[in-house]
Amino acid sequence: MKLTRRTITATLSSLAVAGGLLAFGAPAEAASQCTSTGVGYLCVNIDPRGYDASYQKVAGSTAHVDFNLVCANGRWFGDEGSFYISAGETRTYTFAVGSQGSCFLKLIDMNTGATWQTPSISR
């Protein structure tokens, strides 16, 4: 199984904020589940290989965080380790684990221990 981390730097912060807010859009957008962290947006999406994670940081100081995928079938998946993210950046990660049914994305702040999680998404 191949796990891939992609790093994207937002060049237009207004576009990044608008994109993050659109992720909360109409209920018909069932292929994406997002939550606000207060300084960014944490989202999980369905991917042909499994589940895509993204964190878009729109404010605040640089954070040291880690993605985890937690599934209702009792399985838990980590990514390639924690990472740093600054305001204006988006980090993504593909959990190439196939279909695990209903799962949610968990983001852990490595400095404070605070956690955020998305609503569950099914694949």
Side-chain angles (χ1 to χ4, degrees), residues 44-123:
V44 63
N45 298 287
I46 298 301
D47 179 90
R49 297 165 292 167
Y51 304 80
D52 271 339
S54 69
Y55 182 46
Q56 179 182 37
K57 189 155 176 34
V58 296
S61 59
T62 298
H64 183 202
V65 296
D66 190 31
F67 286 136
N68 290 269
L69 186 70
V70 182
C71 302
N73 65 7
R75 297 193 71 189
W76 167 94
F77 302 93
D79 61 356
E80 294 174 351
S82 60
F83 57 93
Y84 291 89
I85 185 169
S86 299
E89 294 180 329
T90 298
R91 298 284 191 265
T92 63
Y93 185 81
T94 299
F95 290 90
V97 296
S99 178
Q100 298 295 320
S102 178
C103 300
F104 65 86
L105 180 63
K106 183 176 186 179
L107 184 73
I108 303 169
D109 184 311
M110 302 304 287
N111 292 322
T112 66
T115 62
W116 298 269
Q117 67 185 49
T118 64
S120 292
I121 193 166
S122 291
R123 178 181 186 290

